[in-house]
């Protein structure tokens, strides 16, 4: 768990948060002065020591060897306005739905400043974010968003689902608009200047430098709060205070970062939402993915006893495929299972891990890591009605373990009988439901 900031700035941030909540139109000044040595030191402590180095190849541990000296020099450059963030190093990771997602890895010094500024931005903007926004917010997670979606579908007059997808959101954030949104609440040129410099810092990929005229690279400590600020103004409050007034029936939004679902009572409202939403996003440099955005009929009213006559469809959200089914008592209910693409990706990741580490780690060490990986999978995917998927994952992982252990030297190989004896005596965590949506 991330260590809570203990500096004097923490008290000031609490005060700022209270003012922001009580006075939603208030603009804050003199914020850059909060970036003192004590606050930056606390921000350094929260950084993950194992994260990859940025373009300067300096690790978190190496920077910390002369921490006070480094921070004093950093503060001096910020006060003289000569501090300029370094370009971020581009790396790629597989996306759950296929393809690769680009991540930006900032230098350690820039991560410290980003972390500190993110704390200031959270104190100012967080109190006014809408209840239906869940991504990158303290005390809220994916399961909370899924729970809210369950409540909307099961307890409200919902007959349709708009499954919306913003095409390349993080790569297309408009810097000018984002700056304007920040300045709605912040009247401190020095702090805004530093944030803009982060946005314009550029990217280094395979030794080549590229300018960043738009977008905010995923991977930086400041990117999540900037994304929430942008979507708060572009989408959330627009939907709540403008679009809902144009609709004839019930409608609501549930958003996690740039993934969101809109529920609606009738088809006409769905048409209005898509038309208005397309125009709204275009204004701010964004667009809906035509391939991934769709409207489906999804309601308890459309679920019939005769499965051949069942008209409800399915939709994906946060790694789960949602569908309607029946409880043991025969009641219609919202159910979910791991998305096929997400399931295949997790199995493939386990296969690649075993391939890379079957000879590098001794069996007790490997076993400990596998326990942790399985438990982590269950903690996310172990939700109500998803027992079959996580049990299937366990079975596939066990077979993969046996398969890759037998590709070691002949002397250390397992036949299936011996492997099961080892599995029985040493054990791996069995599939378990961690999150119950029905209580």
């Amino acid at each position: 768990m991330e260590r809570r900031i203990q500096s004097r700035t923490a008290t000031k941030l609490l005060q700022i948060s209270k003012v922001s909540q009580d006075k939603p139109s208030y603009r804050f000044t003199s914020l850059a002065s909060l970036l003192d040595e004590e606050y930056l030191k606390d921000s350094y402590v929260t950084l993950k020591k194992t994260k990859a180095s940025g373009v300067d190849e300096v690790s978190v541990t190496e920077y910390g060897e002369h921490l006070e000296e480094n921070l004093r020099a950093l503060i001096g450059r910020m006060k003289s306005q000569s501090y300029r963030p370094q370009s971020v190093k581009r790396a790629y990771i597989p996306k759950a739905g296929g393809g690769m997602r680009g991540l930006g890895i900032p230098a350690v010094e820039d991560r410290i400043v980003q972390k500190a500024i993110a704390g200031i931005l959270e104190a100012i903007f967080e109190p006014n974010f809408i209840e239906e926004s869940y991504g990158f917010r303290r005390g809220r997670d994916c399961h909370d968003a899924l729970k809210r979606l369950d409540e909307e579908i099961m307890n409200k007059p919902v007959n349709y689902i708009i499954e919306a997808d913003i095409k390349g959101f993080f790569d297309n954030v408009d810097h000018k608009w984002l700056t304007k949104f920040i300045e709605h609440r912040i009247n401190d040129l020095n702090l805004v200047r530093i944030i803009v410099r982060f946005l314009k810092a550029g990217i280094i990929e395979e030794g080549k430098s590229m300018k960043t005229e738009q977008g905010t690279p995923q991977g930086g400590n400041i990117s999540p709060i900037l994304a929430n600020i942008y979507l708060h103004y572009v989408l959330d409050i627009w939907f709540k205070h403008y679009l809902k007034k144009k609709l004839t029936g019930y409608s609501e939004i549930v958003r996690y970062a740039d993934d969101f679902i809109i529920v609606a009572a009738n088809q006409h409202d769905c048409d209005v939402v898509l038309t208005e939403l397309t125009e709204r996003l275009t204004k701010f440099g964004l667009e809906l993915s035509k391939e991934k955005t769709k409207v489906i009929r999804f309601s308890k009213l459309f679920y019939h006893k005769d499965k051949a006559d069942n008209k409800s469809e399915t939709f994906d959200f946060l790694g789960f495929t949602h569908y309607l089914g029946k409880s043991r008592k025969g009641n219609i209910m919202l159910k979910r299972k791991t998305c096929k693409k997400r399931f295949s990706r997790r199995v493939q990741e386990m296969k690649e891990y075993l391939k890379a580490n079957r000879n590098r780690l001794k069996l007790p060490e490997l076993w400990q890591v596998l326990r942790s990986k399985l438990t982590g999978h269950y903690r996310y995917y172990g939700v109500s009605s998803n027992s079959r998927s996580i049990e299937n994952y366990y079975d596939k992982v066990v077979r993969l373990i046996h398969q890759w252990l037998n590709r070691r030297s002949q002397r250390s190989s397992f036949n299936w009988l011996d492997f099961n004896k080892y599995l029985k005596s040493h054990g791996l965590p069995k599939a378990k439901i961690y999150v119950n949506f029905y209580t």
Side-chain angles (χ1 to χ4, degrees), residues 323-338:
Y323 63 99
L324 290 172
K326 286 190 175 182
S327 68
R328 293 177 181 177
K329 296 181 179 180
N331 298 320
I332 299 170
M333 62 192 303
L334 178 63
K335 294 189 173 186
R336 58 205 60 76
K337 59 185 177 182
T338 310

Side-chain angles (χ1 to χ4, degrees), residues 130 232 235-245:
I130 66 171
H232 172 71
L235 180 61
D236 296 349
I237 58 176
W238 168 80
F239 180 86
K240 298 285 286 186
H241 302 302
Y242 169 76
L243 186 58
K244 288 180 76 170
K245 294 178 181 178

